[in-house]
Amino acid sequence: MLNPPPTTPDLREDVALASPALATPDTGLPRWPSHTLLGGGDEALIVHGDQVYRLRRTGTGKLILTK
């Protein structure tokens, strides 16, 4: 009998379990601390559909999102 291929876990669930979004009272939109998105580092990759973006913290503490 063939085993089904392994499924890729939903990364949103992993992030949600690790650190739930903070509620923004005035808008109700999810609010994520940048250190959570960056995983303690200075760069992170964000997957949106079939595109990959890079989120980077600069030396002056600003955030840059590039494709």
Side-chain angles (χ1 to χ4, degrees):
M1 181 189 265
L2 295 174
N3 292 329
T7 59
T8 303
D10 187 341
L11 296 177
R12 291 173 298 183
E13 290 178 10
D14 292 345
V15 171
L17 292 174
S19 180
L22 304 172
T24 305
D26 54 338
T27 64
L29 295 173
R31 181 176 169 167
W32 298 93
S34 62
H35 66 84
T36 299
L37 294 173
L38 294 169
D42 289 329
E43 292 188 8
L45 298 178
I46 299 174
V47 179
H48 178 66
D50 62 349
Q51 302 293 312
V52 178
Y53 296 82
R54 181 179 303 270
L55 179 64
R56 181 172 61 92
R57 180 178 33 230
T58 68
T60 58
K62 295 180 180 181
L63 295 176
I64 298 176
L65 182 65
T66 56
K67 195 170 186 183

